[in-house]
Amino acid sequence: MNKLQLKPRDLKIISLIAATRSISQTAVILGMAQANVSKYLSDFESKIGLKVFERTTRSLALTPFGESLLPYVDATLNDARKLVNFIADYKQEKSGQVSIHAPIGIISYLSRSVIHQLTDIGDISIKLKTCNLDRETFYEGVDFPDDCDVLITYAKPKDESLIASRITQYSVTAFASPEYLRQHPIHSPRELENHSCILIDSMMIDESNIWKFNTPGSNDVTDYKVSGKYICDNTQTALELARNGLGIVFAPEESLQKDIAENKLALCFPHQAEWWLDLVAIYRKREYQPWRVQYILDEVLKIIREQIEQAAHRPPAPDC
């Protein structure tokens, strides 16, 4: 019996057809003629002597054999990618993928202000993935996802073998639209219980959120229970509601300087009641991570720290 030899190109086509359930879409992705994709599939099935897909004029579905085969196909392709990445990393070539996870506010900031400044990344692809926090994270630490290379977040990791590099310290405080504040004046965090606050779903406790404020003039932190009619799964959505005058939002001050300057949002407490948090970059020890990850990590942190330094020397926004 002749030894069966399968080409990576064949496996890639099988994997894509299975993912798209479409020969035409696979052809578009690969930049091939549809007829050529069909021939690759037909030749592959003839070579192995088994049907991978059941085809009709309207549908394309994996056969029972195809369902069993697919995990092996994907694992083989993944191993091939790892091999290519290993060789590229050893040669310090700029190729492969780097996955950066962060809460949605940080992902938005990276997309808006950082990623486009990575001008010398060669063939490295960057994957940005939202990884929002829950209320236990601030007390127990954050989990580091298996598919993550760099996690930029507000809490330290559960896994103490990971590196947590402090980027900066920033303040979180209460904001509302000027119109809301005219209609519903507020002077201190103690009054929040009488106001409509915009809540974050992952922070819900007994239909409420807990907002923290440092006591002015000391390092003491006080918890305040807040409630409201609107619950969001991320801060960006909550900010949009606040801009429309629907309540008070708890958000990082530095990221809202444009809203403050344009009179869309205003600080609720002029005496600067706020909660200070560390922004940290979490990653594996450098001896355990590919060169491409080290390169992108260093570049991203350099850009962020330069922007923080520039912001520290800008004049403050005018009072609204």
Side-chain angles (χ1 to χ4, degrees):
M1 179 178 178
N2 293 331
K3 188 175 180 180
L4 183 63
Q5 294 187 359
L6 303 176
K7 297 179 181 179
R9 182 71 162 181
D10 297 338
L11 301 181
K12 179 69 173 178
I13 290 173
I14 295 300
S15 179
L16 282 173
I17 294 174
T20 61
R21 293 293 196 271
S22 168
I23 288 177
S24 61
Q25 287 185 31
T26 298
V28 170
I29 292 170
L30 294 175
M32 296 173 59
Q34 185 171 329
N36 289 342
V37 174
S38 295
K39 187 174 188 309
Y40 265 103
L41 175 57
S42 178
D43 289 348
F44 180 84
E45 291 179 327
S46 296
K47 184 187 299 184
I48 65 175
L50 292 164
K51 281 284 186 183
V52 181
F53 294 95
E54 292 288 357
R55 295 184 288 282
T56 69
T57 55
R58 294 189 177 183
S59 67
L60 188 68
L62 286 164
T63 63
F65 167 72
E67 293 280 3
S68 299
L69 174 69
L70 188 61
Y72 292 99
V73 170
D74 289 339
T76 301
L77 292 171
N78 189 48
D79 286 343
R81 281 191 291 269
K82 288 179 180 178
L83 176 60
V84 170
N85 287 339
F86 167 76
I87 295 170
D89 286 332
Y90 197 86
K91 296 166 66 177
Q92 294 196 354
E93 292 180 348
K94 294 173 182 174
S95 62
Q97 185 180 90
V98 176
S99 180
I100 302 175
H101 295 211
I104 189 168
I106 298 174
I107 288 291
S108 297
Y109 160 70
L110 293 174
S111 303
R112 181 176 63 251
S113 304
V114 175
I115 299 302
H116 72 281
Q117 295 195 45
L118 298 171
T119 55
D120 186 23
I121 63 173
D123 293 326
I124 296 174
S125 62
I126 297 176
K127 179 180 179 180
L128 298 177
K129 189 170 181 179
T130 300
C131 183
N132 290 323
L133 306 182
D134 56 37
R135 61 180 179 272
E136 287 84 11
T137 298
F138 292 102
Y139 309 102
E140 300 176 2
V142 63
D143 289 315
F144 192 81
D146 291 338
D147 62 339
C148 178
D149 293 310
V150 180
L151 174 60
I152 301 178
T153 189
Y154 313 122
K156 292 183 178 180
K158 284 183 181 178
D159 185 348
E160 295 182 356
S161 70
L162 297 168
I163 303 299
S165 175
R166 182 174 177 270
I167 301 172
T168 189
Q169 191 178 51
Y170 69 101
S171 66
V172 182
T173 189
F175 294 88
S177 70
E179 180 61 28
Y180 178 92
L181 293 175
R182 278 192 292 271
Q183 295 180 13
H184 313 282
I186 185 170
H187 304 95
S188 79
R190 290 189 300 273
E191 300 173 31
L192 284 167
E193 64 181 2
N194 301 317
H195 285 260
S196 175
C197 296
I198 301 170
L199 310 179
I200 299 299
D201 187 47
S202 62
M203 301 294 181
M204 293 295 288
I205 302 176
D206 191 26
E207 299 184 356
S208 305
N209 278 185
I210 301 296
W211 290 0
K212 296 175 178 288
F213 290 90
N214 287 85
T215 303
S218 78
N219 292 323
D220 295 337
V221 177
T222 303
D223 292 347
Y224 296 92
K225 183 179 179 180
V226 301
S227 58
K229 295 189 296 182
Y230 302 101
I231 303 170
C232 304
D233 66 356
N234 65 82
T235 303
Q236 297 304 305
T237 304
L239 285 168
E240 289 295 339
L241 296 179
R243 292 181 186 111
N244 286 320
L246 295 178
I248 298 175
V249 68
F250 199 50
E253 182 175 356
E254 181 58 36
S255 64
L256 299 182
Q257 294 304 305
K258 183 178 179 182
D259 284 293
I260 295 172
E262 294 177 354
N263 206 32
K264 294 179 180 178
L265 292 172
L267 284 164
C268 292
F269 311 122
H271 57 279
Q272 295 293 306
E274 55 202 354
W275 183 30
W276 286 91
L277 290 172
D278 286 336
L279 182 65
V280 296
I282 301 171
Y283 47 90
R284 299 177 184 90
K285 291 181 179 179
R286 289 182 180 265
E287 58 264 36
Y288 300 136
Q289 64 176 325
W291 178 83
R292 66 184 183 277
V293 176
Q294 298 177 31
Y295 177 77
I296 293 298
L297 171 64
D298 290 341
E299 291 297 302
V300 166
L301 292 184
K302 182 177 76 172
I303 293 168
I304 293 174
R305 285 172 172 144
E306 286 175 352
Q307 293 181 359
I308 291 169
E309 182 69 18
Q310 292 168 4
H313 291 90
R314 282 199 302 264
D319 293 335
C320 299

